[in-house]
Amino acid sequence: MRPVAEMYSRHPFPKRSSEGVRKMTRYFAEELCRLGVSLETLQGRPVLDAGCGTGEIASFVASKGPLVFGLDFSDGSLKYAHETFPEVRFLRGSILEPPLKTACFDFIYSHMVLHHTGDPERGVQKLSRALRPGGHLLIKVFSLFSRGGMVRDKGALWRILLIRSLAQNVEGRVRWAERLFYKPRHEESHGLTKATYLYDNFGVPVLSHHTYGQILGWFRRTGVEYVASDPPMEFGRMVEGFGGRGTQLRRLGLHRVLRNPNALSRALSQTAMLAMQGISMISVLGRKA
């Protein structure tokens, strides 16, 4: 964890441009809608952004009324967050050992962070303890299925593995990534600087990829009940979201049969994601019993 903290202290993330912030917060809001989460129902309630980085999403959530706390272990990211978003209360600490009381939050989300911790299940356990009964936990991590099937995408797993085979240290990986895969000004579409883009995509020392089954196991062992996922792990629900492209599958009746998150449904959903270039992450929402 320390190498990750050091890298993000030197290169605070995401620290997006104003346009990049608008894109990311819009995407986050749309995802919450698909998952059935309404921030308006959390007016004045304590919410935790676990791994808040430079605080852009935490600020967006706070603008909807919740009392938001941001947790991060990167001094550089937190310094920027403190100075830029005073409406959020920021805390320094690791998701694996968070300085939090038991049962103190109504909603906790960890957005694209747990796969950098080295022990995401421990992170889920710690965050679950900080949830009040009936509170919700939302995690977003890299998908082993979809990212592993990418070929051209910037985040294709084969590119990550190639860079890691060429260099053992962060700086070396970033240099190789710039030579082999960087496209001039590509980072601007994400609202990032060139350095931030390269370090976050190729330099991070700790990185893991996960399946829906793994995440359900983490939830089950920590007293969190599954609520929803995006993309849906229930293959029937995924088919319904295909629109005209899912006509043949609907004719087979699969959308009516596979509406539960069982092993077959998850396998079909994740296999379908292999063909969807650009879907590199999965989000899962749970409720503490």
Side-chain angles (χ1 to χ4, degrees):
M1 288 287 285
R2 181 176 296 177
V4 178
E6 292 173 350
M7 194 201 82
Y8 281 121
S9 284
R10 294 194 304 273
H11 305 280
F13 185 83
K15 199 178 178 182
R16 300 181 191 272
S17 66
S18 57
E19 179 58 26
V21 171
R22 282 193 291 271
K23 286 183 178 180
M24 177 54 68
T25 53
R26 182 174 67 249
Y27 173 80
F28 184 69
E30 291 171 351
E31 181 172 68
L32 291 181
C33 184
R34 291 191 295 271
L35 291 167
V37 176
S38 172
L39 295 177
E40 284 71 18
T41 64
L42 293 165
Q43 292 279 333
R45 313 276 296 269
V47 170
L48 177 68
D49 184 331
C52 63
T54 48
E56 288 86 343
I57 291 181
S59 176
F60 166 75
V61 174
S63 72
K64 303 300 180 180
L67 177 62
V68 180
F69 294 79
L71 174 70
D72 206 273
F73 64 179
S74 165
D75 291 328
S77 294
L78 283 177
K79 181 177 185 297
Y80 178 87
H82 273 295
E83 295 171 350
T84 311
F85 305 111
E87 68 275 19
V88 179
R89 302 182 183 186
F90 292 102
L91 309 171
R92 189 186 186 286
S94 166
I95 290 177
L96 302 185
E97 292 295 339
L100 305 172
K101 296 180 181 179
T102 300
C104 55
F105 291 100
D106 289 301
F107 182 57
I108 298 175
Y109 63 92
S110 184
H111 191 257
M112 303 191 292
V113 178
L114 284 167
H115 46 240
H116 293 319
T117 64
D119 193 350
E121 181 171 1
R122 179 180 175 85
V124 169
Q125 291 172 346
K126 295 293 185 178
L127 296 179
S128 174
R129 290 179 188 175
L131 265 183
R132 292 172 177 167
H136 287 80
L137 172 64
L138 171 61
I139 68 171
K140 186 180 187 74
V141 294
F142 281 122
S143 164
L144 176 62
F145 274 71
S146 53
R147 208 180 198 202
M150 290 178 176
V151 178
R152 298 180 300 277
D153 190 88
K154 65 180 176 62
L157 185 55
W158 72 267
R159 296 189 181 196
I160 305 297
L161 296 177
L162 174 60
I163 293 300
R164 287 172 176 265
S165 71
L166 294 173
Q168 299 301 310
N169 60 74
V170 171
E171 302 301 327
R173 291 171 182 168
V174 169
R175 285 194 296 271
W176 273 109
E178 183 176 7
R179 292 175 198 164
L180 297 177
F181 302 128
Y182 175 68
K183 296 180 180 179
R185 306 187 69 177
H186 181 70
E187 72 281 1
E188 293 180 7
S189 64
H190 303 274
L192 302 172
T193 64
K194 177 180 176 180
T196 302
Y197 169 82
L198 288 170
Y199 276 92
D200 183 66
N201 278 284
F202 298 100
V204 177
V206 179
L207 180 63
S208 57
H209 296 78
H210 305 282
T211 67
Y212 280 133
Q214 275 185 304
I215 298 170
L216 290 179
W218 301 342
F219 278 13
R220 184 174 59 253
R221 289 187 288 273
T222 54
V224 176
E225 301 170 343
Y226 169 71
V227 174
S229 53
D230 185 50
M233 69 173 72
E234 305 90 345
F235 187 64
R237 297 184 187 280
M238 177 178 276
V239 171
E240 290 172 353
F242 283 168
R245 293 175 296 171
T247 300
Q248 296 300 322
L249 292 173
R250 282 194 291 275
R251 286 175 179 170
L252 295 174
L254 291 177
H255 67 297
R256 292 192 299 271
V257 177
L258 297 172
R259 295 182 62 86
N260 295 314
N262 54 51
L264 175 59
S265 188
R266 297 196 308 268
L268 288 171
S269 292
Q270 291 174 129
T271 300
M273 288 167 62
L274 290 172
M276 299 179 190
Q277 292 292 306
I279 299 180
S280 62
M281 310 196 80
I282 50 179
S283 298
V284 184
L285 176 70
R287 178 183 178 275
K288 187 172 183 180

